[in-house]
């Protein structure tokens, strides 16, 4: 009932109708080192179209790891910042925050957009300086974990909130997000949407974009379940490395992880 009430309020509110500078956007998009897949292009177009409307955006972009969800976020953040609004990027872990920070900083290096991060890798003094700069409007895009939702964080002109992996946030954080949601545009990125979020998209309360087309050279997932064998693991890893690919090796115990 609360959610329905929130979404009804959002529908009745006048959101920010962002203006898109096609020339500036095209120039920024040229920094993307890959060719967009059809699904990715359609997700970018739908997101930017939502941002130009008067009603606040609430779009869920669903796609596997490495399918290009971050590029959708980059284009949306660029448009919002180019319109003079601030962008908050909320991520579940410090490592992911750092990865996004490096990515955004690199892609936006040729623009006047200022990107910063609030994370435990920074000293308390540096974090406080970032919080003050955010309140004064001297930071355009801020990236951070749950701390971004704390009451001490104040924005001068927040226009867009990007949430990476919504299901990794607890009930309290979601409540705080709801407070922000009535006014600002929201873009949620996920590889695994939670049932309630998925249900809301099916009911039409949230817009949905699915990126199902794998990027070029991306191989389909194959799953093998068998008895543990170091030889098979080694063979699989060597094959992937010879292909010039990357490997995730998940180990279930921190105490013995170095033995691997």
């Amino acid at each position: 009932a609360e959610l329905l009430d929130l979404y009804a309020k959002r529908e009745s509110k006048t959101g920010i109708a962002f203006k898109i500078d096609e020339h500036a956007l095209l120039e920024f998009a040229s920094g993307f080192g890959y060719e967009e897949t059809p699904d990715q292009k359609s997700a970018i177009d739908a997101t930017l179209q939502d941002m130009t409307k008067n009603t606040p955006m609430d779009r869920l972009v669903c796609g596997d790891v490495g399918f290009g969800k971050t590029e959708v976020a980059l284009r949306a953040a660029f448009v919002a910042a180019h319109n003079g609004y601030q962008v908050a990027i909320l991520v579940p872990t410090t490592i992911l925050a750092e990865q996004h920070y490096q990515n955004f900083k690199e892609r936006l290096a040729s623009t006047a957009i200022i990107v910063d991060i609030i994370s435990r890798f920074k000293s308390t003094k540096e974090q406080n300086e970032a919080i003050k700069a955010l309140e004064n409007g001297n930071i355009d895009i801020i990236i951070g974990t749950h701390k971004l939702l704390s009451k001490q964080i104040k924005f001068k002109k927040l226009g867009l909130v990007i949430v990476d992996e919504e299901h990794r946030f607890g009930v309290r954080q979601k409540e705080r997000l709801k407070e922000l949601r009535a006014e600002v545009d929201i873009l949620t990125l996920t590889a695994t949407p939670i049932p309630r979020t998925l249900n809301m998209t099916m009911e039409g309360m949230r817009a949905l974009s699915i990126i199902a087309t794998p990027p070029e050279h991306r191989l389909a997932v194959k799953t093998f379940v068998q008895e543990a064998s170091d030889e098979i693991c080694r063979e699989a890893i060597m094959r992937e490395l010879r292909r010039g690919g990357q490997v995730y090796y998940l180990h279930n115990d921190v105490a013995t992880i170095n033995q691997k």
Side-chain angles (χ1 to χ4, degrees), residues 174-223:
K174 295 243 178 82
E175 288 302 317
R176 179 80 178 113
L177 251 180
K178 279 185 216 165
E179 288 172 29
L180 295 171
R181 271 194 175 161
E183 305 111 36
V184 300
D185 280 15
I186 299 267
L187 179 65
T188 307
L189 315 173
T190 186
T192 49
I194 55 175
R196 187 180 64 191
T197 300
L198 209 50
N199 181 49
M200 281 156 66
T201 62
M202 296 305 161
E203 293 286 340
M205 283 194 280
R206 297 178 77 170
L208 173 69
S209 290
I210 295 174
I211 305 180
T213 324
E216 204 182 352
H217 306 308
R218 175 70 181 256
L219 300 179
V221 174
K222 288 181 185 173
T223 305

Side-chain angles (χ1 to χ4, degrees), residues 122-260:
K122 280 191 158 191
S123 67
T124 308
K125 186 184 174 214
E126 286 173 324
Q127 287 187 51
N128 289 338
E129 281 170 3
I131 291 166
K132 198 172 179 184
L134 200 60
E135 198 174 342
N136 295 334
N138 296 329
I139 291 173
D140 301 306
I141 299 175
I142 190 74
I143 299 163
T145 55
H146 307 70
K147 187 159 185 171
L148 276 188
L149 294 172
S150 70
K151 297 281 187 187
Q152 69 178 118
I153 306 285
K154 293 181 176 70
F155 296 89
K156 188 175 184 185
K157 200 180 179 186
L158 183 65
L160 173 67
V161 174
I162 298 170
V163 186
D164 201 354
E165 298 298 353
E166 183 187 39
H167 67 277
R168 300 279 295 275
F169 293 94
V171 174
R172 199 174 292 162
Q173 284 99 25
K174 295 243 178 82
E175 288 302 317
R176 179 80 178 113
L177 251 180
K178 279 185 216 165
E179 288 172 29
L180 295 171
R181 271 194 175 161
E183 305 111 36
V184 300
D185 280 15
I186 299 267
L187 179 65
T188 307
L189 315 173
T190 186
T192 49
I194 55 175
R196 187 180 64 191
T197 300
L198 209 50
N199 181 49
M200 281 156 66
T201 62
M202 296 305 161
E203 293 286 340
M205 283 194 280
R206 297 178 77 170
L208 173 69
S209 290
I210 295 174
I211 305 180
T213 324
E216 204 182 352
H217 306 308
R218 175 70 181 256
L219 300 179
V221 174
K222 288 181 185 173
T223 305
F224 300 91
V225 180
Q226 54 197 90
E227 281 185 38
S229 161
D230 287 347
E231 289 74 29
I232 289 173
C233 282
R234 185 180 186 281
E235 176 58 29
I237 289 167
M238 292 310 291
R239 275 190 189 188
E240 184 60 17
L241 295 179
R242 281 196 290 266
R243 191 182 75 87
Q246 293 172 301
V247 177
Y248 280 94
Y249 191 113
L250 302 184
H251 184 65
N252 64 354
D253 189 0
V254 174
T256 58
I257 198 164
N258 288 329
Q259 290 171 21
K260 288 287 176 189

